[in-house]
Amino acid sequence: MLPLGGCLLATDKPDPGLDIPFAYDRGPKNPAIAEAALPPLDWWRGFRSKELTAVIEEARATNLDIAAAVARIVQADAQARVAGAPLLPNVTLDGSASHSRSSQSLGGGSGGASERDNLSASLSASYEIDFWGKNRSALRAAEESAVASRYDREVVGLSTVVATANAYFQVLAAQDRLRVARENFRSATRVLNLIQERLNAGTASALDVAQQESLVNSQRAAIPPLEQTLTQNRNALAVLIARPPERVRIYGGSLRSIATPRVTPGLPSELLAQRPDIRRAEANLAAANANVENARAQFLPSIKLTGEGGYQSAVLRTLLRPESAFYTAAAGLTQPIFDGARLQGNLDLEKGRQDELLQNYRKTVISAFSDVENALDAIRQTALRARLQRDVVTSSRRAFQISEQRLRQGTIDLVTVLQTQQTLYQAEDGLAQAQLAHVLAVVSLYQALGGGWLPKPVETTDAR
């Protein structure tokens, strides 16, 4: 039986076979750059916005998704306690008292009916010897699931912080775009007044006025969608902090007042290993490994010990006397012989789940590297886009100012004025969107890195 047990319980834990990119493998070549990439725990403070910090802190404290994740931790811990119960003896206290009277008519004689009391107090215990580790494997699987639930809470918490930051920045971007739209509407209206003055002086046509009125109306029509976007993003923040929308006040401001944290691209592989989704996948895989061990152990004999002892008597005063004592002890062994392939099916099921979670783990790790690469590239490209877009805004504003001045002097074609107005509006609106894309890229990198982490402890040397 022992060789058979050793064969069945031989665990074949799968090798993840991870291929860590060389650029992410920390070594002696670039330790300083790798350390510089460690994000702080409160990474959102790097944007230097008190309102953003306050909103995120409130979301972390009141978000309903986080509260639900905490409730799942409580459930997982309770399930682990349930799974660990078979490792301990099951002890039961039983007490009973009965009074019975026999029927006189069934006795067939002249005697009276007999009455009888029966009193009993006993203590019973049972214990299954976990010789093959079946119950230990079940407990380990439940404990790993509880660990996974904790990392799931970290995943939810990080997603909540990222969603809050993104929604807040979108509020700022909507305010910037709304400000640009209103300013350009005022500028277009000012130009329309100049054209109407020229029409009154006979130096412009009704067509010129109609064209400018069309531009003014177009810019006026662009304002309501931006106001709607602003309202929607404010309402999204209200959901994240678990408040009714009417009780939320987000003042925002401008993306121009947001500082952009400096991000160093030197990233050690162990940093990505701390991503909560990767750790959750690891815990789920460990739970699957334990479940496979449990399924293997179910093929082997089950040994169970039982015992019961106590007192029985027909009279209460003699219940606890030595002559009223009784006890029983037994040992049983159960070996599955034929179960319709139920045990084999259960083993195949757990091995299939194990393989599924292994592939999910591999995918999560690969996705982590891909997320970081995408975020770093997005930061570089959006920073370049924002810088180039600022140059476009500067030149477009200068062109519009010159065209408006020449319009007052009557020395410019009205078509050129219309073109410079539209170019300036598109350039300023594009700058607001480029700035939004850049801060969202920074947030996505923090998310790809798994949020913030505690700094490593400083190594001290013994001076003696």
Side-chain angles (χ1 to χ4, degrees):
M1 182 61 68
L2 289 179
L4 174 63
C7 177
L8 284 174
L9 292 179
T11 58
D12 50 347
K13 295 182 180 179
D15 181 13
L18 301 178
D19 183 15
I20 305 298
F22 177 76
Y24 292 89
D25 194 4
R26 179 199 292 275
K29 296 181 179 180
N30 253 341
I33 293 180
E35 288 292 347
L38 294 173
L41 283 173
D42 52 351
W43 53 266
W44 52 86
R45 295 182 183 272
F47 294 101
R48 297 181 183 177
S49 170
K50 292 183 179 180
E51 186 175 47
L52 171 64
T53 299
V55 170
I56 288 180
E57 294 294 344
E58 183 173 1
R60 294 177 68 203
T62 63
N63 181 264
L64 299 179
D65 291 331
I66 295 178
V70 172
R72 289 193 292 271
I73 293 176
V74 175
Q75 298 174 46
D77 288 344
Q79 187 62 39
R81 291 194 297 271
V82 172
L87 289 172
L88 300 174
N90 184 18
V91 181
T92 304
L93 175 64
D94 180 45
S96 64
S98 63
H99 176 78
S100 62
R101 180 179 184 275
S102 63
S103 173
Q104 182 177 356
S105 61
L106 294 178
S110 58
S114 62
E115 296 187 3
R116 182 178 181 182
D117 294 326
N118 188 11
L119 305 175
S120 174
S122 63
L123 190 68
S124 60
S126 63
Y127 177 67
E128 180 180 1
I129 301 177
D130 194 29
F131 192 77
W132 315 110
K134 178 180 66 176
N135 295 332
R136 288 193 299 271
S137 298
L139 173 60
R140 189 164 64 253
E143 289 175 341
E144 292 294 346
S145 297
V147 171
S149 69
R150 281 162 170 78
Y151 287 116
D152 178 68
R153 184 252 177 262
E154 297 301 321
V155 171
V156 174
L158 177 59
S159 300
T160 299
V161 171
V162 169
T164 303
N166 287 343
Y168 181 79
F169 291 141
Q170 286 169 353
V171 167
L172 299 189
Q175 291 177 335
D176 284 340
R177 296 182 66 190
L178 193 58
R179 193 179 300 110
V180 168
R182 287 169 176 167
E183 179 61 30
N184 280 273
F185 170 71
R186 287 191 291 268
S187 299
T189 303
R190 187 170 62 249
V191 172
L192 176 61
N193 294 334
L194 293 176
I195 296 176
Q196 287 175 338
E197 292 176 1
R198 292 186 60 183
L199 176 64
N200 296 333
T203 57
S205 65
L207 177 60
D208 297 332
V209 175
Q211 288 178 329
Q212 185 64 24
E213 286 179 343
S214 176
L215 179 61
V216 170
N217 292 332
S218 297
Q219 293 183 349
R220 181 189 289 115
I223 293 176
L226 295 176
E227 291 177 336
Q228 181 182 7
T229 301
L230 177 60
T231 301
Q232 289 174 343
N233 288 315
R234 282 177 173 168
N235 293 342
L237 280 174
V239 174
L240 290 168
I241 61 178
R243 282 192 188 183
E246 61 270 13
R247 293 180 54 192
V248 175
R249 294 291 180 269
I250 302 296
Y251 299 99
S254 173
L255 283 174
R256 300 187 188 94
S257 61
I258 295 295
T260 304
R262 184 175 178 271
V263 183
T264 304
L267 303 171
S269 58
E270 57 263 33
L271 180 62
L272 292 183
Q274 294 185 82
R275 275 180 42 145
D277 57 340
I278 294 179
R279 302 301 294 273
R280 178 183 60 186
E282 288 178 347
N284 285 330
L285 182 57
N289 294 337
N291 283 328
V292 171
E293 294 179 15
N294 176 269
R296 290 181 187 276
Q298 292 180 21
F299 284 87
L300 302 175
S302 174
I303 303 174
K304 190 172 185 179
L305 305 177
T306 60
E308 182 180 9
Y311 296 90
Q312 285 183 336
S313 174
V315 181
L316 180 61
R317 65 175 177 272
T318 62
L319 178 63
L320 299 180
R321 290 183 178 180
E323 60 269 20
S324 300
F326 77 95
Y327 71 89
T328 58
L333 185 147
T334 304
Q335 169 63 55
I337 300 298
F338 178 77
D339 62 353
R342 179 182 63 85
L343 294 178
Q344 184 62 48
N346 182 53
L347 176 59
D348 293 340
L349 173 64
E350 296 300 337
K351 292 176 68 175
R353 289 174 177 169
Q354 179 190 46
D355 186 62
E356 177 188 4
L357 291 172
L358 173 63
Q359 307 313 320
N360 289 340
Y361 173 68
R362 289 172 174 169
K363 180 181 178 181
T364 303
V365 174
I366 294 174
S367 298
F369 290 116
S370 178
D371 291 344
V372 174
E373 290 293 339
N374 290 337
L376 288 173
D377 183 68
I379 288 175
R380 289 190 291 265
Q381 299 300 330
T382 55
L384 177 61
R385 173 189 170 189
R387 185 170 64 252
L388 296 177
Q389 193 65 28
R390 289 190 190 95
D391 296 338
V392 173
V393 170
T394 300
S395 58
S396 299
R397 184 177 291 113
R398 185 170 62 251
F400 175 69
Q401 291 172 349
I402 294 173
S403 65
E404 186 177 10
Q405 182 181 4
R406 291 188 177 181
L407 179 62
R408 295 179 184 276
Q409 298 171 354
T411 60
I412 193 174
D413 190 338
L414 290 177
V415 174
T416 303
V417 176
L418 292 174
Q419 290 176 345
T420 57
Q421 289 180 87
Q422 292 175 336
T423 301
L424 177 59
Y425 172 70
Q426 293 172 358
E428 291 181 330
D429 188 69
L431 177 59
Q433 296 184 55
Q435 291 172 331
L436 173 63
H438 183 58
V439 294
L440 294 184
V442 174
V443 172
S444 69
L445 178 58
Y446 283 120
Q447 184 178 23
L449 297 177
W453 299 94
L454 287 170
K456 289 191 173 183
V458 178
E459 296 183 0
T460 59
T461 58
D462 195 345
R464 290 178 298 177

